Amino acid sequence: MIPMTLAQIAALTDGRLSDPGAADVLVDGPVVTDSREAGPGSLYVARIGEHADGHRYTPDAVARGAVAALVTAPVEQTPSVLVPDVQEAFAALATAVVQAIPGLLVVGVTGSSGKTSTKDLLAAVLAEHAPTVANVGSLNSEVGVPLTVCRAAPDTAHLVLEMGARGIGHIRYLTDMTHPRVGVVLNVGSAHVGEFGSRAAIAAAKGELVEALPAQGLAVLNADDPLVAAMAARTSARVVRTGRRADDADIRAADVVLDEQGRAAFTLVTPEGSAPVRLAVLGEHMVDNALAVAAVAREAGMAVGPLAAALGRARLASRWRLERHDRADGVVVLNDAYNANPDSLAAALRTLAAMGAGRRTWAVVGEMLELGPDSAAAHRQCGELAATLGVDEVLAVGAGAEPVAEGFGSRARRSVDVDAAYHLLSGELRAGDIVLLKSSRDSGLRHLGDRLVEEEVH
């Protein structure tokens, strides 16, 4: 974090020092909410969660190097800033960090799917241009975003913030905290529709990002998604449209092809010119993410040639997003089971089909959560798509994935849980097979994928 004294932190958070003698204590290490991640110079933020009171772990944070804590109650033998509400104080600290770095370009990224992959690609591309900080994994909430902001240093030029939402007002809270100048909305799908109630409500929540942009800012909108394209009317910022199909897209992908490894190549078309791109990440859907990245990188000052080259070098830093693992026995494991919704599962199935020429393909599918009353139909349609694409084997894991098996047809396989799926696959996989694992995170298939890779069953 930008070095700050405890007195400065107290002033920024409307707090008071536990000990006036601690005013000059310098916080110049990481800001953490998990005591196990504390290090020399750390500030420990003692949050009170559903299952634990962070104040109890302050001694552990201090033992690991933390020099101070942000608290709502006094803690013994630890220089502290006492505040009425730790979360609000944490947000205020993040705002102060953003405002303290001259010329910082803050980019917000949201959407129903692809947020983390796009954030990873964008961070990789922008890092070739200037120092860049981005969320680790999917730390995109009211806690993850300020944690990310507080990793910024005085020389940080680009701050890339994935922003998640589980209700109206969530993204507005994050934008009030971080003041983004560029906002990217990727899509409005059915992820979390069970919580929001409708895709229109999801669009209302995602659009809070572009509503927060200043007039001199930039909204990057997916012109191929009508609900996203309509957000142009909700912002005073300039608008750049990306897309593969929309006639009014400012940044387009032409001549998209997939190689036998499932990697896309295309011509990037911008107002300044065109350049060839060959992505290293898997899936045709990554083209849409790459177009959003190109729009932001262009705003940051990157020319089309270097931008296209950087896209080809970019990799995903976050786990369980179409990770490819080539086992010694010739089996290929595609672990895409960090999250799932009908759109992302469809994209993964198409990637599996593209990579499966001459090989036996497996789609191991767990339940997609939070889809609301249309959940069964959405799962069934994904099974039908797998059959249409010619996927050889579908294994539905758990009762929630049963409609996938129904949609695929009589040849579908079923397992009651992850362990049963592991034992079935251990007896069935053979050299040349390619197996995709896809489910929502809490359905647990990401761990099945890791187990298949680590144990290399036969």
Side-chain angles (χ1 to χ4, degrees), residues 59-79:
D60 181 57
V62 172
R64 295 173 187 270
V67 296
L70 191 64
V71 298
T72 55
V75 289
E76 294 183 2
Q77 300 179 331
T78 304

Side-chain angles (χ1 to χ4, degrees), residues 162-209:
E162 177 184 337
M163 295 183 173
R166 291 185 174 272
I168 300 296
H170 290 185
I171 289 179
R172 185 179 301 112
Y173 178 82
L174 300 178
T175 59
D176 286 347
M177 181 195 308
T178 59
H179 307 298
R181 184 160 66 82
V182 176
V184 178
V185 184
L186 298 169
N187 46 55
V188 174
S190 52
H192 308 306
V193 73
E195 293 184 327
F196 282 93
S198 68
R199 291 184 69 225
I202 296 172
K206 301 299 184 185
E208 291 171 0
L209 175 55

Side-chain angles (χ1 to χ4, degrees), residues 1-3 28-32 37 90 93-94 97-98 101 104 119-120 123 131-139 143-162 317:
M1 191 180 85
I2 296 172
D28 58 359
V31 177
V32 300
E37 297 176 358
F90 195 16
L93 180 60
V97 170
V98 168
I101 303 176
L104 179 66
K119 174 265 302 179
D120 283 352
T132 299
V133 169
N135 316 64
V136 173
S138 292
L139 291 176
V143 179
V145 168
L147 278 173
T148 304
V149 172
C150 288
R151 288 176 35 231
D155 67 341
T156 300
H158 308 126
L159 181 59
V160 180
L161 300 174
E162 177 184 337

Side-chain angles (χ1 to χ4, degrees), residues 365-376:
V365 183
E367 184 176 4
M368 299 179 286
L369 303 173
E370 300 172 355
L371 296 183
D374 295 329
S375 178

Side-chain angles (χ1 to χ4, degrees), residues 33-36 44-64 69-76 78:
T33 57
D34 185 332
S35 64
R36 295 167 295 184
Y44 173 60
V45 179
R47 298 184 67 252
I48 300 177
E50 293 182 15
H51 306 292
D53 182 347
H55 293 75
R56 294 173 49 197
Y57 301 96
T58 304
D60 181 57
V62 172
R64 295 173 187 270
L70 191 64
V71 298
T72 55
V75 289
E76 294 183 2
T78 304

Side-chain angles (χ1 to χ4, degrees), residues 212-223:
L213 300 174
Q216 67 274 23
L218 177 70
V220 178
L221 302 178
N222 179 3

